Amino acid sequence: MPVIGRIVKSNSHTDYVCQVFAPRETAHDPAPQDYAFGSFVKAPIDPADDRTAVGIVYDTILLNPEYGSLGPRLNPPSDQALLAPDYLVEKATAVGIIIVGLQEGDTVKHGVIPLSLPVDAEVSSLDDDAIRRFHLVGGKLSLGYLPNLISHQSPLVTELGLNVIRQLLSLFPESSDQRLLRTLAAHFSWQARVTPLG
């Protein structure tokens, strides 16, 4: 599971901002699909134990301090590396993450976690097997975090819920799970059509 970045701030106890690693900042450059909208990610709460927070990417933030500084330049950006090798590139990509649960060994808990993530905690994307394990509580499909997800203030929360359900539809082919997920998908699809109308 590739590491995509590090936690740089929080907006609340369940809402965090992760700065994505820049090219060549780590051994593995994060690919855009590793931190795409609706991606499941994880971050350690404490490196000394195995408690891991699980979250979902719900927003993208592009940071460009040069935007708006249209004054004269002494040299073009292409010459920057040669003329000022110690120049710090301050452009960055960050993603908003809503925390939806906790994993501790084989134990999974959905909802608001008791502890916060530390600054600089490394965020990794989850593969399909890890997403499936996170959604199995007591051996059955569970979406216990859904009420917290729905109550999030993002205007994209309906699309986020629909995106999550679509992912789970491909990971849980059992007929009883499919019925539940299709019912939820229909609800979110209806909300996505009705909400913009007010």
Side-chain angles (χ1 to χ4, degrees), residues 164-198:
V164 167
I165 300 302
R166 286 176 181 149
Q167 288 182 68
L168 297 180
L169 277 166
S170 66
L171 297 176
F172 289 89
E174 298 82 1
S175 59
S176 59
D177 296 337
Q178 287 281 309
R179 278 195 301 275
L180 169 64
L181 292 169
R182 288 188 190 285
T183 301
L184 289 170
H187 170 74
F188 278 109
S189 295
W190 175 81
Q191 266 203 321
R193 290 194 302 273
V194 170
T195 302
L197 302 175

Side-chain angles (χ1 to χ4, degrees), residues 71-77 79-80 83:
R73 299 186 189 279
L74 298 177
N75 54 300
D79 293 344
Q80 195 72 47
L83 299 174

Side-chain angles (χ1 to χ4, degrees), residues 7-18 97 116-117 119:
I7 296 295
V8 292
K9 68 172 268 191
S10 70
N11 298 314
S12 74
H13 185 71
T14 58
D15 188 349
Y16 290 84
V17 176
C18 165
I97 297 170
S116 64
L117 291 176
V119 173

Side-chain angles (χ1 to χ4, degrees), residues 16 19 27 29 31 34 46 54-56 62 85 90 105 107 117 122-123 126 138 143 148 156 158 170 185 187 194:
Y16 290 84
Q19 183 173 332
D29 287 348
D34 294 333
D46 184 348
V54 175
I56 305 171
L62 301 178
E90 294 179 330
T107 305
L117 291 176
E122 288 196 340
V123 178
L126 293 185
L143 287 91
N148 292 333
L156 296 174
T158 303
S170 66
H187 170 74
V194 170

